[in-house]
């Protein structure tokens, strides 16, 4: 009789109602061989590592003597064992991969033993932000692993990791990382506040966070930088920025950020400053080229024939003489084809995608020129523009740049060069208005801060980087003492 | 009644005053001032530019003194001198002035576009798009306005270099003999420089938005100096490039000079130049619309957003009635004259009044 | 957002401006003007277009029209052309012989007024009718490019003084200076050549300077950066002076103009035995003498014609305050000249 009551108590709790419906919900009862105490293990089979139960938990619980729930802390060779008496925690713990231990003598207390199944993809090369020189580790989908990668690179106690749980359904853990002695407290507070204000049920990736906490969600520009490189995160933490790690996402977010940061690859820091400055300028030029060249083609051919040098005139006219469409349609047709190829290439498996890209590009391009649908000059221009847009080191910004071309095309069709400049003014205004975590997005271009230029359009040598960026308003703006670091030597000393 | 100070996060660094002053000064006047001053003082007119530039330094100094003494912008100064009601009435006049200023700049630019690029572009629709952009900028707050002023000056700065092409076809002996004109002629030329130079008076309106305004004074002077130097150099190149009678026929000598520019990839530069000028005109219109709407807010105590819409509506409705070269020219003349009166007559008067009030108030306290 | 969309839509519908799509217009690249045979019309103009073939060769296409104004000509031409005619590509304007004597001011003024015409257009006069010049087949890159490059490289390396539409109109408007234009002649159906320079009094042609005087003419009105001149020496030897750089300085005091010409050059070719330093000295002396003589002759000639292509009046103006142009016109008739030339031969090539 007594036994039955206990059984019912243990077996038919209210919280179990919905659990029982899932096939991976397991509840098993055992008797301790020494004291004959009946105990139950409850767990979600899909979340836990059965080996831990088989080898770590069960043998001890069955063979060693225990009568109170407190005893299991000594018995079980697992570090994370918790005991509590709050039934509301049960769901959360079970869902996080804990095994719940109940003893019939102490029904009010539950023991939770961590037995998570860690299915972790092995560390791999960064794929989006690949670099030839420098570390080859990239973040994976496990937050623990990612934090480990960062902590390893900044082994100081000042690196603070704060954790939040977001999403009413997904219960995603989100961690913010910052250096306590460097990072501006206001910035940290803003991030905390924004994260707390997030209202969304399922956050499955850091991209959700990007869109949910950015200053202006109607802007095509990403206002948080995402990276898969632990070295980059360590680098920016030392500058005084904040990193946001989201469990389940191999991309870590960085904030506050500026426009120029999106055009600097972390590889820039591995190269000599002259080379990296040169590459940065090339990249900026490529971006400007990629956005503007097709609109300029359309504007010039539609309105400003006077601009074309007389030696180029014959090339342009002969290439266009058989084309039945006005330049704008021709340009739109080609641009959309390129976008199509890019989109198809991105959706298909890598190898097929590459083939589609190359074959499609060559075949469609050549065919459309031969069919007289587009001029070969424009084909060259559009292909170059597409190539140039791939130089952007941050993929998210690359997408934005792909998009920006179209409003420019529209205005070029409308008012020629004047329209291009007008559209540029709109873009400039938008960028000037944009902020990242309340800090101006265009810094150091505007507000103009010459000191911060040392690591913007160009990158000066490390000796010159003795100060942290001004716009972060860091607690400790000095990176190292410049005077101590460098003593100038006279000749032959 | 104490006015609310502007919170620091909305204020701008003192050195940005440099860009503000320069970008509102350089606008539509640069395109044609050479002809106007050469009509008065021939090829000695560059001396007049230097002289006018010198005078402006004095005015800038007066402006800073007025603002410091009154502790705020022109509305505060008026209130300080003439009391609340009359002060506000005085300030209200300047709303009209700045609406006219933005109107002149925009209409003249559209005229340039119509003559040089697109004869059939619709005045109204272009102004409409332009003003929509201005509203977008001004709604971003004063910092965005300053940002546009900054980019509107820095990005097109390369255009100055393009005038270098003209040097190859110039004859600098044209400037000789120096001082071939009477002082009176030189002074008239200086007076006619006013349309090209006005705009610096905007300091008196955005003074409360400057962080540590005292530090900004040197930047304001520096800006005026730079503008003067640019104008002088450009005038000298123009005088060397054109012969005197030829220049008297050019409505926009600066644009005509671009015709000689030839680069390997660009046959004719003036189209690029005019398109780029859009970026130079933008801060001109934005700042004046901002000032006008700010004045509306200060004088009539309505939201600045409503003020912006009012100013934009005013500009858009008047601009349709200005069609011919003659009308636009008259408008330019009037605004030039108004600017002259405001800067060189009204500001010294206001300065005297502020100083007197200060003495009186001190006397009362004793 | 809705508002923004609406704005875009409205702009799209009503903001459009007329297009000039490159392959759907006829770009005027050259134009020739003659006097019309019918006295009712004033001008007969021949407009040159280029038609590009798929193999990038160029077909020259000309249309002629007549009218009282330049715009009338264009209207006339538009009636014959399959596509709209635009003037922004103009590179060369040729004036026929009668029209240059009649006066070219109206046309120059019209060029200046047209915002789409550049400043680097070459304006030249021709020996035969401009229409015939336009209708040739020169080179493979089109007539206009051919004539343009012909004049350009003669300015850069040979004896044509710097000129283009801007300089022509500047000189025209300058007090105390007269215009000159290069003169070309069609010598075969596929060839044109430069035959001299036309000198203008105001806008009327008064004299044609032959080829042999051009070297000295350029010394007086422009500066050389890369000239050539052959010096005849005794015993029939010749020395070619190359890479000539020249500068002139003119000073007018009272009624006397002193002109100083400085020449630097390299001897590239010598037909004699040995190029000793005496020979070099001799070359320098000979050249100096020759330049002084010829330049003086030219100046006298200009004075007789009552024209001033050197711009002595302008020079006097820059050197004297309160210059009175009326008085100068009389003074010029009795102005005295002296020409001093100084030649420096700096190198004699890579052998001695």
């Amino acid at each position: 009789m007594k036994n039955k009551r206990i059984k019912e108590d243990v077996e038919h709790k209210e919280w179990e109602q919905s659990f029982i419906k899932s096939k991976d919900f397991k509840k098993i009862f055992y008797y301790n061989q020494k004291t004959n105490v009946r105990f139950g293990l409850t767990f979600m089979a899909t979340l836990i590592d059965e080996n831990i139960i088989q080898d770590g938990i069960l043998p001890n619980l069955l063979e060693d003597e225990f009568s109170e729930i407190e005893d299991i802390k000594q018995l079980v060779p697992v570090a994370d064992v918790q005991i509590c008496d709050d039934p509301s925690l049960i769901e959360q713990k079970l869902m996080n991969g804990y095994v719940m231990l109940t003893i019939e003598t102490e029904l009010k207390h539950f023991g939770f033993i961590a037995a998570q199944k860690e299915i972790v993809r092995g560390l791999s090369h960064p794929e989006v932000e690949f670099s030839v020189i420098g570390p080859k580790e990239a973040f994976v989908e496990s937050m623990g692993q990612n934090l480990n990668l960062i902590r390893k690179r900044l082994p100081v106690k000042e690196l603070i990791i704060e954790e939040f749980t977001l999403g009413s359904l997904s219960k995603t853990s989100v961690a913010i990382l910052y250096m306590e002695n460097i990072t501006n407290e206001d910035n940290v507070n803003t991030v905390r506040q924004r994260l707390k204000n997030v209202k969304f049920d399922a956050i499955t990736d850091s991209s959700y966070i990007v869109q949910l906490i950015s200053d202006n969600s109607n802007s095509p520009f990403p206002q948080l930088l995402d990276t898969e490189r632990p070295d980059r995160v360590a680098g920016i933490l030392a500058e005084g920025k904040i990193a946001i790690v989201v469990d389940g996402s191999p991309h870590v977010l960085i904030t506050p950020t500026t426009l120029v940061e999106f055009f600097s690859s972390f590889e820039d820091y591995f190269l000599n400053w002259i080379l990296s400055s040169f590459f940065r300028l090339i990249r900026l030029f490529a971006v400007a080229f990629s956005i503007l060249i097709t609109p300029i083609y359309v504007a010039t051919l539609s309105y400003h024939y006077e601009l074309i040098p007389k030696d180029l005139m014959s090339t342009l006219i002969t290439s266009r003489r058989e084309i039945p469409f006005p330049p704008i349609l021709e340009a739109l047709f080609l641009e959309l084809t390129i976008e199509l190829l890019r989109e198809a290439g991105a959706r298909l498996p890598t190898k097929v995608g590459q083939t589609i890209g190359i074959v499609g590009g060559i075949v469609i391009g050549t065919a459309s020129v031969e069919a007289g649908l587009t001029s070969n000059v424009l084909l060259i221009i559009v292909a170059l523009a597409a190539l140039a847009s791939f130089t952007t080191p941050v993929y998210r910004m690359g997408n934005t740049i792909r998009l920006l071309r179209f409003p420019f095309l529209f205005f070029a069709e409308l008012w020629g060069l004047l329209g291009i400049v007008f559209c540029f003014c709109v873009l400039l205004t938008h960028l000037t208005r944009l902020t990242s975590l309340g800090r101006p997005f265009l810094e150091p271009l505007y507000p103009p801060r010459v000191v911060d230029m040392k690591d913007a359009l160009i990158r000066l040598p490390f000796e010159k980087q003795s100060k942290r960026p001004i716009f972060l308003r860091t607690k400790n703006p000095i990176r190292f003492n410049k005077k101590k670091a460098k003593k100038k030597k006279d000749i032959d000393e | 009644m104490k006015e609310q100070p502007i919170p620091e996060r909305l204020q701008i660094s003192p050195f940005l005053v440099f860009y503000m002053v320069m970008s509102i000064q350089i606008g539509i006047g640069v395109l044609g001032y050479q002809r106007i001053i050469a009509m008065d003082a021939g090829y000695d007119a560059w001396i007049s530019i230097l002289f006018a530039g010198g005078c402006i330094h004095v005015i800038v100094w007066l402006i800073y003194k007025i603002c410091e003494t009154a502790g705020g912008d022109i509305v505060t100064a008026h209130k300080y001198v003439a009391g609340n009601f009359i002060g506000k009435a005085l300030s209200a006049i300047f709303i009209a002035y700045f609406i006219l200023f933005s109107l002149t700049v925009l209409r003249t630019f559209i005229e340039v576009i119509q003559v040089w690029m697109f004869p059939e572009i619709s005045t109204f629709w272009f102004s409409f798009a332009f003003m929509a952009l201005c509203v977008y900028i001004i709604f971003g707050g004063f910092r965005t306005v300053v940002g546009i002023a900054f980019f509107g000056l820095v990005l097109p700065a390369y255009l100055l270099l393009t005038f270098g092409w003209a040097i190859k076809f110039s004859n600098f002996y044209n400037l000789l003999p120096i001082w071939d004109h009477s002082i009176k002629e030189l002074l008239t030329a200086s007076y006619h420089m006013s349309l090209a130079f006005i705009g610096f008076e905007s300091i008196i309106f955005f003074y409360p938005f400057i962080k540590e305004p005292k530090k900004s004074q040197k930047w304001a002077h520096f800006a005026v100096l730079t503008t003067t130097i640019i104008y002088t150099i450009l005038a000298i190149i123009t005088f060397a490039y054109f012969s005197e009678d030829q220049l008297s026929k050019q409505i926009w000598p600066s644009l005509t000079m671009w015709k000689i520019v030839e680069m390997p990839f660009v046959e004719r530069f003036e189209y690029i130049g005019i398109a780029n000028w859009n970026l130079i005109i933008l801060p001109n219109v934005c700042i004046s619309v901002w000032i006008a709407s700010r004045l509306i807010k200060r004088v009539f105590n309505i939201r600045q957003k409503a003020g912006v819409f009012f100013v934009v509506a005013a500009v858009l409705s008047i601009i349709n009635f200005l069609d011919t070269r003659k009308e636009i020219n008259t408008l330019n003349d009037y605004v030039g004259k108004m600017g002259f009166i405001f800067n060189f007559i009204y500001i010294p008067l206001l300065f005297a009044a502020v100083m007197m009030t200060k003495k009186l108030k001190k006397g009362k306290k004793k | 957002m809705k508002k923004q969309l609406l704005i875009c839509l409205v702009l799209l519908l009503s903001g459009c401006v007329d297009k000039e799509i490159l392959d759907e217009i006829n770009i005027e690249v050259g134009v020739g003007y003659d006097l019309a045979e019918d006295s009712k019309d004033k001008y007969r103009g021949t407009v040159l277009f280029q038609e590009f073939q798929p193999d990038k060769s160029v077909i020259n296409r000309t249309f002629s029209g007549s009218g009282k104004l330049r715009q009338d000509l264009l209207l006339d031409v538009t009636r014959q052309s399959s596509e709209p005619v635009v003037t922004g590509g103009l590179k060369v304007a040729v004036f026929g012989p009668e029209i240059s004597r009649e006066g070219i001011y109206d046309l120059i003024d019209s060029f200046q007024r047209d915002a789409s015409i550049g400043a680097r257009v070459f304006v030249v006069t021709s020996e035969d009718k401009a229409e015939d010049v336009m209708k040739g087949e020169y080179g493979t890159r089109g007539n206009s490019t051919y004539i343009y490059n012909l004049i350009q490289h003669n300015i850069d390396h040979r004896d044509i003084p710097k000129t283009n539409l801007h300089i022509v109109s500047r000189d025209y408007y300058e007090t105390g200076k007269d215009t000159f234009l290069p003169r070309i002649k069609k010598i075969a159906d596929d060839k044109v050549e430069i035959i001299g320079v036309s000198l203008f009094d105001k806008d009327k042609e008064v004299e044609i300077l032959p080829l042999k005087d051009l070297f000295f003419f350029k010394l007086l009105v422009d500066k050389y950066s890369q000239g050539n001149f052959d010096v005849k020496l005794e015993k029939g030897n010749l020395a070619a002076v190359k890479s000539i750089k020249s500068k002139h300085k003119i000073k007018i005091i009272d009624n006397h103009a002193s002109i100083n010409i400085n020449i630097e050059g390299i001897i590239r070719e010598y037909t004699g035995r040995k190029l000793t330093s005496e020979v070099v000295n001799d070359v320098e002396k000979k050249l100096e003498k020759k330049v002084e003589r010829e330049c003086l002759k030219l100046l006298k000639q200009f004075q007789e014609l009552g024209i001033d292509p050197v711009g002595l009046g302008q020079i006097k103006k820059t050197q004297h305050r309160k210059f009175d142009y009326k008085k100068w016109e009389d003074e010029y008739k009795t102005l005295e000249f002296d020409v001093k030339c100084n030649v420096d031969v700096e190198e004699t090539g890579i052998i001695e």
Side-chain angles (χ1 to χ4, degrees), chain C residues 64 150 164 236 280 285 288 295 305:
Chain C
S64 296
L150 171 76
N164 58 32
V280 173
K285 283 266 159 54
E288 280 168 15
C295 286
L305 289 164

Side-chain angles (χ1 to χ4, degrees), chain B residues 223-235:
Chain B
V224 172
L225 183 70
T226 318
T227 321
T228 315
I229 291 171
I230 289 175
Y231 280 178
T232 313
I233 291 175
L234 187 59

